[in-house]
Amino acid sequence: QYYQQQLLLQQYYQQQLLLQQYYQQQQQYYSTAEAALAAMAQQRAAKQAQQLQQQYYQAAPQYYQAVVQQPLQQQQTVAITLPADAAPGVSYDFQAPDGRVLSFEVPVGYGPGMQIEVAC
């Protein structure tokens, strides 16, 4: 009976050893799989970044052409002499050289008879 107990103990330890080896293999498998997934995700992110960069550089010349083709408009100003009832905060309409009717507000420090430059 002693030998039988020894045999059972030995079988138990062998099973424990096999289980431990199995768990170690599983851990290695999962850590390898995680590393592979992380590498794949990193490659995918790098590819997406490269595609976005290519799209940007393809779009950039079109943007540059659009900017170059639009001439810079110089801001025009009109000199206006303020009327007799002018006071800071009061709004007036005037006709711009191109025919548009625009408004401006008398700024602080200006009054009747003073001349003001208004952008149009």
Side-chain angles (χ1 to χ4, degrees):
Q1 201 170 24
Y2 172 77
Y3 289 112
Q4 199 174 16
Q5 287 178 345
Q6 289 297 322
L7 184 61
L8 286 174
L9 271 174
Q10 190 176 11
Q11 287 175 349
Y12 171 77
Y13 287 132
Q14 284 176 347
Q15 286 177 349
Q16 291 297 315
L17 183 61
L18 288 173
L19 279 174
Q20 190 176 21
Q21 289 173 349
Y22 172 78
Y23 287 130
Q24 285 175 349
Q25 288 174 350
Q26 290 297 313
Q27 263 186 326
Q28 287 175 348
Y29 170 79
Y30 285 119
S31 60
T32 303
E34 286 175 0
L37 286 174
M40 288 172 54
Q42 192 173 18
Q43 288 173 349
R44 185 179 300 145
K47 187 175 181 179
Q48 287 175 342
Q50 186 180 18
Q51 288 172 343
L52 287 172
Q53 190 176 27
Q54 286 174 349
Q55 289 174 357
Y56 170 77
Y57 285 124
Q58 288 171 353
Q62 296 167 355
Y63 172 74
Y64 178 73
Q65 288 173 353
V67 170
V68 170
Q69 289 173 359
Q70 294 177 355
L72 294 176
Q73 296 178 352
Q74 292 182 342
Q75 189 173 15
Q76 291 183 329
T77 59
V78 174
I80 297 177
T81 303
L82 296 175
D85 62 342
V90 176
S91 292
Y92 293 98
D93 292 338
F94 71 99
Q95 189 168 4
D98 62 2
R100 294 177 296 154
V101 176
L102 303 174
S103 313
F104 72 95
E105 190 174 294
V106 178
V108 174
Y110 285 83
M114 297 178 79
Q115 200 169 44
I116 185 171
E117 293 284 325
V118 180
C120 44

